Amino acid sequence: MNWTWFHKMGSPKWFYDITDKWMFWLGLASVLLLSVAMVWGLAFAPADYQQGNSFRIIFIHVPSAFLAQACYVMMAVAGAIGLIWKMKLADMAAKVSAPIGASFTILALLTGAIWGKPTWGTWWVWDARLTSMLLLLFLYFGFMALQSAFDNESTAAKASSILALVGLVNIPIIKYSVEWWNTLHQPATLTLTERPAMATEMLIPLLLSIAAFYCFFTLVFLMRLRTEVLIREKRTKWVKKIVQPEV
Amino acid sequence: MDKLVKPSLGQSCLIVLKRDLRLALRSQSDLANPLIFFVMVATLFPLGVTPDKEFLAEIATGIIWVAALLATLLSLDAMFRSDYDDGSLEQLLLSPYPLYLLVLAKVFSHWVVSGLLLTILFPVLAVILFLPWEGYLAMLASLLLGTPLLSLIGAIGAALTVGLKKGGVLLSLLILPLYVPVLIFGTGAVGAAINGMPFSAHLLWLGVFLVMAVTLAPFAIAAALRVSIAG
């Protein structure tokens, strides 16, 4: 297998140049997919026979919850790559993905609360899934706090990568333990995992919406990463050329 | 020429352990403060919430576990701090023995002066908070299994923040989310015991976590210490 692409990824300049071409298409895809998914999901999909129109929030809630978790895994994997192969770009990727993941976690928690009020009659329940998402948010906060506590960038990257990896081990534990913990007190009636078999008219916009969120995530992630590359490589010739072409 | 006496691996771990325990015994305020804190937090609840006996009995499990957790958190920052300040941590890193075993000895000594003492002290709190008699055995077992976990997980955070001037609050921020499973299974075991249900499943899970943490955490602690020292 040819590993050249992997080594090229170690070069911030190569990365900056190649993603330059992707940005437009990613932006276009995100806008198109998002608008189609949102209009279809929020306006045209049939209302649920039990929950009426309030179920429509899943078109935002489910994709953001997906990404909140996927982003953490990605962050930890990027951190591990940075630790093992000392790849600058991986360190930067881990750093810039944390605030995005935290935002998606907050979005998932907020939409969940908004959905919970009419459906469960309460903004917050100490349910398995809710609590584990809250903990995920705290893990993101811890990562960001540790990242910003160090003056030295490479120390910050190494330390926070170790923390991200430790937290990664904890994610499935948090999820399941809270489920077991709650079933002792009350039967788990309210879990978001057990989705009733969805009608196709609802499933298609949901899948579209997930695809749209993934596109949007990649777009924001690359934008932040490109900015981070410029900031960290500000002393190099190629960045100076981009920022001040005439000098 | 003097022949250097090189201690074996087991001996060097024992030396680290003995040294840390002796240091802890000599600075008695460091030793006593978390314990006093443990008792004081628990006395705040009857004053702040209600002195009602039945209500307290219901929340006693949670209070004891949360107080134990916070008291451990309080003692964590000191785990590597003085060694870092006087340079003996660097000597530990430079030693020819695997760092993760030496670190394990340090964590064990931390547990002896924090978690083990808290476990011994818990009946005092259980009495003043009216913990039902059925919960004592489960509480003892869960604290014995859970507090070493707190020391092991906490040591990762302490190692990550030891190079920082103000590590204290940051340390709690990093470690508290990781403590949640311990809290859940610890209180779960006692709750089950009070309700007359089998509680061995919770204890077994705590045991699983403990085995995992003893195996994996020292690697993370060692790696974190190397990062903190180098940075």
Short mmCIF file of all heavy atoms in Angstrom, two decimals, chain B residues 17-57:
data_model
loop_
_atom_site.label_atom_id
_atom_site.label_comp_id
_atom_site.label_asym_id
_atom_site.label_seq_id
_atom_site.Cartn_x
_atom_site.Cartn_y
_atom_site.Cartn_z
N LEU B 17 7.71 3.45 47.93
CA LEU B 17 6.52 3.33 48.78
C LEU B 17 6.82 3.79 50.20
O LEU B 17 6.10 4.62 50.77
CB LEU B 17 6.05 1.88 48.77
CG LEU B 17 4.78 1.57 49.55
CD1 LEU B 17 3.59 2.22 48.89
CD2 LEU B 17 4.56 0.06 49.61
N LYS B 18 7.93 3.30 50.75
CA LYS B 18 8.30 3.64 52.13
C LYS B 18 8.55 5.13 52.26
O LYS B 18 8.11 5.76 53.21
CB LYS B 18 9.57 2.88 52.52
CG LYS B 18 9.30 1.52 53.14
CD LYS B 18 10.63 0.97 53.65
CE LYS B 18 10.50 -0.48 54.07
NZ LYS B 18 11.83 -1.10 54.15
N ARG B 19 9.26 5.67 51.28
CA ARG B 19 9.62 7.09 51.33
C ARG B 19 8.34 7.94 51.32
O ARG B 19 8.20 8.87 52.13
CB ARG B 19 10.48 7.43 50.12
CG ARG B 19 10.69 8.90 49.93
CD ARG B 19 11.51 9.17 48.68
NE ARG B 19 11.53 10.59 48.38
CZ ARG B 19 10.57 11.20 47.69
NH1 ARG B 19 9.52 10.53 47.25
NH2 ARG B 19 10.66 12.49 47.46
N ASP B 20 7.41 7.61 50.41
CA ASP B 20 6.19 8.41 50.32
C ASP B 20 5.36 8.32 51.59
O ASP B 20 4.79 9.31 52.05
CB ASP B 20 5.35 7.96 49.11
CG ASP B 20 5.78 8.67 47.85
OD1 ASP B 20 6.96 9.08 47.81
OD2 ASP B 20 4.96 8.81 46.93
N LEU B 21 5.29 7.12 52.15
CA LEU B 21 4.51 6.95 53.38
C LEU B 21 5.14 7.74 54.52
O LEU B 21 4.45 8.39 55.30
CB LEU B 21 4.40 5.47 53.74
CG LEU B 21 3.43 4.66 52.89
CD1 LEU B 21 3.47 3.20 53.28
CD2 LEU B 21 2.02 5.20 53.04
N ARG B 22 6.49 7.69 54.58
CA ARG B 22 7.17 8.41 55.66
C ARG B 22 6.95 9.91 55.52
O ARG B 22 6.67 10.61 56.48
CB ARG B 22 8.68 8.08 55.63
CG ARG B 22 9.40 8.55 56.88
CD ARG B 22 10.83 8.03 56.90
NE ARG B 22 10.89 6.58 56.94
CZ ARG B 22 11.81 5.87 56.29
NH1 ARG B 22 12.70 6.47 55.54
NH2 ARG B 22 11.82 4.56 56.38
N LEU B 23 7.04 10.40 54.27
CA LEU B 23 6.81 11.83 54.03
C LEU B 23 5.39 12.21 54.45
O LEU B 23 5.17 13.26 55.06
CB LEU B 23 6.99 12.14 52.54
CG LEU B 23 8.41 12.37 52.07
CD1 LEU B 23 8.44 12.53 50.56
CD2 LEU B 23 8.98 13.61 52.74
N ALA B 24 4.42 11.35 54.11
CA ALA B 24 3.03 11.66 54.44
C ALA B 24 2.83 11.69 55.95
O ALA B 24 2.15 12.56 56.49
CB ALA B 24 2.10 10.61 53.81
N LEU B 25 3.47 10.74 56.66
CA LEU B 25 3.31 10.69 58.11
C LEU B 25 3.96 11.89 58.79
O LEU B 25 3.53 12.33 59.84
CB LEU B 25 3.93 9.40 58.65
CG LEU B 25 3.11 8.14 58.38
CD1 LEU B 25 3.86 6.90 58.82
CD2 LEU B 25 1.77 8.22 59.09
N ARG B 26 5.03 12.42 58.15
CA ARG B 26 5.73 13.54 58.79
C ARG B 26 4.99 14.86 58.60
O ARG B 26 5.08 15.73 59.45
CB ARG B 26 7.15 13.64 58.26
CG ARG B 26 7.98 12.50 58.81
CD ARG B 26 9.45 12.73 58.67
NE ARG B 26 10.15 11.58 59.20
CZ ARG B 26 11.34 11.20 58.79
NH1 ARG B 26 11.94 11.88 57.85
NH2 ARG B 26 11.92 10.15 59.32
N SER B 27 4.30 15.03 57.47
CA SER B 27 3.53 16.27 57.32
C SER B 27 2.09 15.95 57.70
O SER B 27 1.27 15.56 56.89
CB SER B 27 3.61 16.79 55.89
OG SER B 27 2.85 16.01 55.04
N GLN B 28 1.84 16.11 59.01
CA GLN B 28 0.58 15.60 59.51
C GLN B 28 -0.63 16.42 59.07
O GLN B 28 -1.75 15.91 59.02
CB GLN B 28 0.63 15.51 61.03
CG GLN B 28 1.38 14.26 61.46
CD GLN B 28 1.86 14.31 62.89
OE1 GLN B 28 1.72 15.31 63.56
NE2 GLN B 28 2.44 13.22 63.34
N SER B 29 -0.40 17.69 58.73
CA SER B 29 -1.55 18.49 58.29
C SER B 29 -2.05 17.98 56.93
O SER B 29 -3.24 17.88 56.69
CB SER B 29 -1.19 19.96 58.23
OG SER B 29 -0.28 20.18 57.17
N ASP B 30 -1.11 17.64 56.05
CA ASP B 30 -1.50 17.10 54.75
C ASP B 30 -2.28 15.81 54.91
O ASP B 30 -3.18 15.49 54.15
CB ASP B 30 -0.26 16.83 53.89
CG ASP B 30 0.26 18.10 53.26
OD1 ASP B 30 -0.36 19.15 53.50
OD2 ASP B 30 1.28 18.04 52.55
N LEU B 31 -1.89 15.07 55.93
CA LEU B 31 -2.54 13.79 56.17
C LEU B 31 -3.94 14.00 56.74
O LEU B 31 -4.90 13.34 56.34
CB LEU B 31 -1.69 12.99 57.15
CG LEU B 31 -2.07 11.54 57.39
CD1 LEU B 31 -1.82 10.74 56.15
CD2 LEU B 31 -1.24 10.99 58.54
N ALA B 32 -4.06 14.95 57.67
CA ALA B 32 -5.32 15.10 58.41
C ALA B 32 -6.34 15.93 57.66
O ALA B 32 -7.54 15.68 57.76
CB ALA B 32 -5.03 15.73 59.77
N ASN B 33 -5.88 16.92 56.88
CA ASN B 33 -6.83 17.85 56.26
C ASN B 33 -7.91 17.19 55.42
O ASN B 33 -9.09 17.50 55.60
CB ASN B 33 -6.08 18.91 55.45
CG ASN B 33 -5.40 19.92 56.34
OD1 ASN B 33 -5.55 19.86 57.56
ND2 ASN B 33 -4.64 20.83 55.76
N PRO B 34 -7.56 16.27 54.52
CA PRO B 34 -8.64 15.63 53.75
C PRO B 34 -9.63 14.87 54.64
O PRO B 34 -10.82 14.86 54.35
CB PRO B 34 -7.89 14.67 52.82
CG PRO B 34 -6.54 15.24 52.71
CD PRO B 34 -6.24 15.85 54.03
N LEU B 35 -9.11 14.28 55.72
CA LEU B 35 -9.99 13.52 56.61
C LEU B 35 -10.96 14.46 57.34
O LEU B 35 -12.16 14.17 57.45
CB LEU B 35 -9.18 12.73 57.62
CG LEU B 35 -8.26 11.67 57.02
CD1 LEU B 35 -7.45 10.99 58.11
CD2 LEU B 35 -9.07 10.64 56.25
N ILE B 36 -10.42 15.58 57.83
CA ILE B 36 -11.28 16.56 58.50
C ILE B 36 -12.31 17.10 57.52
O ILE B 36 -13.50 17.23 57.82
CB ILE B 36 -10.44 17.70 59.10
CG1 ILE B 36 -9.46 17.13 60.13
CG2 ILE B 36 -11.31 18.76 59.74
CD1 ILE B 36 -8.42 18.12 60.59
N PHE B 37 -11.84 17.37 56.30
CA PHE B 37 -12.73 17.84 55.24
C PHE B 37 -13.86 16.83 55.00
O PHE B 37 -15.03 17.19 54.89
CB PHE B 37 -11.91 18.05 53.97
CG PHE B 37 -12.69 18.49 52.78
CD1 PHE B 37 -13.01 19.83 52.60
CD2 PHE B 37 -13.11 17.58 51.82
CE1 PHE B 37 -13.73 20.24 51.50
CE2 PHE B 37 -13.84 17.99 50.72
CZ PHE B 37 -14.15 19.33 50.55
N PHE B 38 -13.48 15.56 54.95
CA PHE B 38 -14.44 14.46 54.74
C PHE B 38 -15.56 14.51 55.77
O PHE B 38 -16.75 14.45 55.44
CB PHE B 38 -13.66 13.14 54.85
CG PHE B 38 -14.46 11.88 54.63
CD1 PHE B 38 -15.20 11.69 53.49
CD2 PHE B 38 -14.43 10.86 55.58
CE1 PHE B 38 -15.91 10.52 53.28
CE2 PHE B 38 -15.13 9.69 55.38
CZ PHE B 38 -15.88 9.52 54.23
N VAL B 39 -15.18 14.70 57.03
CA VAL B 39 -16.19 14.73 58.10
C VAL B 39 -16.98 16.04 58.04
O VAL B 39 -18.21 16.04 58.24
CB VAL B 39 -15.51 14.56 59.47
CG1 VAL B 39 -16.54 14.62 60.59
CG2 VAL B 39 -14.77 13.23 59.53
N MET B 40 -16.30 17.13 57.73
CA MET B 40 -16.99 18.43 57.75
C MET B 40 -18.02 18.54 56.65
O MET B 40 -19.13 19.06 56.87
CB MET B 40 -15.97 19.56 57.66
CG MET B 40 -15.36 19.91 59.00
SD MET B 40 -14.12 21.18 58.85
CE MET B 40 -15.15 22.61 58.61
N VAL B 41 -17.69 18.06 55.45
CA VAL B 41 -18.67 18.11 54.34
C VAL B 41 -19.93 17.39 54.77
O VAL B 41 -21.06 17.86 54.56
CB VAL B 41 -18.08 17.46 53.07
CG1 VAL B 41 -19.16 17.21 52.04
CG2 VAL B 41 -17.03 18.36 52.47
N ALA B 42 -19.75 16.23 55.41
CA ALA B 42 -20.92 15.44 55.80
C ALA B 42 -21.76 16.14 56.86
O ALA B 42 -22.99 16.01 56.87
CB ALA B 42 -20.46 14.08 56.32
N THR B 43 -21.11 16.93 57.73
CA THR B 43 -21.91 17.62 58.75
C THR B 43 -22.66 18.81 58.17
O THR B 43 -23.63 19.28 58.76
CB THR B 43 -21.02 18.14 59.90
OG1 THR B 43 -19.90 18.79 59.33
CG2 THR B 43 -20.57 17.03 60.80
N LEU B 44 -22.22 19.28 57.00
CA LEU B 44 -22.91 20.43 56.40
C LEU B 44 -24.31 20.04 55.91
O LEU B 44 -25.20 20.86 55.88
CB LEU B 44 -22.10 20.98 55.22
CG LEU B 44 -20.78 21.65 55.58
CD1 LEU B 44 -20.08 22.15 54.34
CD2 LEU B 44 -20.99 22.80 56.55
N PHE B 45 -24.47 18.78 55.54
CA PHE B 45 -25.76 18.37 54.96
C PHE B 45 -26.92 18.42 55.95
O PHE B 45 -27.96 18.98 55.64
CB PHE B 45 -25.63 17.00 54.29
CG PHE B 45 -25.01 17.09 52.94
CD1 PHE B 45 -23.65 17.02 52.77
CD2 PHE B 45 -25.80 17.27 51.81
CE1 PHE B 45 -23.06 17.13 51.53
CE2 PHE B 45 -25.23 17.38 50.54
CZ PHE B 45 -23.86 17.30 50.41
N PRO B 46 -26.77 17.86 57.16
CA PRO B 46 -27.88 17.99 58.12
C PRO B 46 -28.18 19.45 58.43
O PRO B 46 -29.35 19.82 58.62
CB PRO B 46 -27.35 17.28 59.37
CG PRO B 46 -26.31 16.36 58.86
CD PRO B 46 -25.70 17.02 57.68
N LEU B 47 -27.14 20.30 58.45
CA LEU B 47 -27.37 21.72 58.74
C LEU B 47 -27.99 22.43 57.55
O LEU B 47 -28.86 23.29 57.70
CB LEU B 47 -26.04 22.39 59.10
CG LEU B 47 -25.31 21.82 60.31
CD1 LEU B 47 -23.95 22.47 60.47
CD2 LEU B 47 -26.14 22.03 61.57
N GLY B 48 -27.55 22.06 56.36
CA GLY B 48 -28.00 22.78 55.17
C GLY B 48 -29.27 22.23 54.56
O GLY B 48 -30.06 22.99 53.99
N VAL B 49 -29.50 20.94 54.65
CA VAL B 49 -30.68 20.36 54.01
C VAL B 49 -31.78 20.15 55.06
O VAL B 49 -32.76 20.88 55.10
CB VAL B 49 -30.33 19.04 53.30
CG1 VAL B 49 -31.53 18.52 52.53
CG2 VAL B 49 -29.16 19.24 52.35
N THR B 50 -31.58 19.16 55.92
CA THR B 50 -32.56 18.92 56.98
C THR B 50 -31.94 17.97 58.00
O THR B 50 -31.18 17.08 57.62
CB THR B 50 -33.85 18.30 56.42
OG1 THR B 50 -34.63 17.84 57.52
CG2 THR B 50 -33.58 17.14 55.50
N PRO B 51 -32.22 18.15 59.29
CA PRO B 51 -31.73 17.17 60.26
C PRO B 51 -32.65 15.96 60.39
O PRO B 51 -32.41 15.10 61.24
CB PRO B 51 -31.69 17.99 61.56
CG PRO B 51 -32.71 19.06 61.37
CD PRO B 51 -32.86 19.30 59.91
N ASP B 52 -33.68 15.90 59.55
CA ASP B 52 -34.66 14.82 59.62
C ASP B 52 -33.99 13.46 59.44
O ASP B 52 -33.27 13.23 58.47
CB ASP B 52 -35.72 15.04 58.54
CG ASP B 52 -36.75 13.93 58.54
OD1 ASP B 52 -37.30 13.66 59.62
OD2 ASP B 52 -36.97 13.32 57.47
N LYS B 53 -34.24 12.57 60.38
CA LYS B 53 -33.52 11.30 60.44
C LYS B 53 -33.79 10.42 59.20
O LYS B 53 -32.87 9.88 58.60
CB LYS B 53 -33.94 10.56 61.70
CG LYS B 53 -33.03 9.42 62.05
CD LYS B 53 -33.44 8.78 63.36
CE LYS B 53 -32.75 7.44 63.51
NZ LYS B 53 -33.07 6.77 64.75
N GLU B 54 -35.05 10.32 58.82
CA GLU B 54 -35.38 9.43 57.71
C GLU B 54 -34.84 9.95 56.38
O GLU B 54 -34.36 9.19 55.53
CB GLU B 54 -36.89 9.23 57.62
CG GLU B 54 -37.36 8.17 58.59
CD GLU B 54 -38.87 8.11 58.68
OE1 GLU B 54 -39.52 8.51 57.69
OE2 GLU B 54 -39.37 7.68 59.72
N PHE B 55 -34.94 11.27 56.23
CA PHE B 55 -34.44 11.86 54.99
C PHE B 55 -32.93 11.68 54.89
O PHE B 55 -32.41 11.31 53.83
CB PHE B 55 -34.79 13.35 54.94
CG PHE B 55 -34.45 14.00 53.64
CD1 PHE B 55 -35.22 13.77 52.51
CD2 PHE B 55 -33.33 14.82 53.53
CE1 PHE B 55 -34.90 14.37 51.31
CE2 PHE B 55 -33.00 15.41 52.33
CZ PHE B 55 -33.78 15.19 51.22
N LEU B 56 -32.24 11.92 56.01
CA LEU B 56 -30.79 11.77 56.01
C LEU B 56 -30.38 10.33 55.71
O LEU B 56 -29.43 10.08 54.97
CB LEU B 56 -30.21 12.19 57.36
CG LEU B 56 -30.02 13.69 57.55
CD1 LEU B 56 -29.50 13.97 58.94
CD2 LEU B 56 -29.06 14.25 56.51
N ALA B 57 -31.13 9.38 56.28
CA ALA B 57 -30.82 7.98 56.03
C ALA B 57 -30.89 7.67 54.54
O ALA B 57 -30.12 6.87 54.02
CB ALA B 57 -31.78 7.09 56.81
#
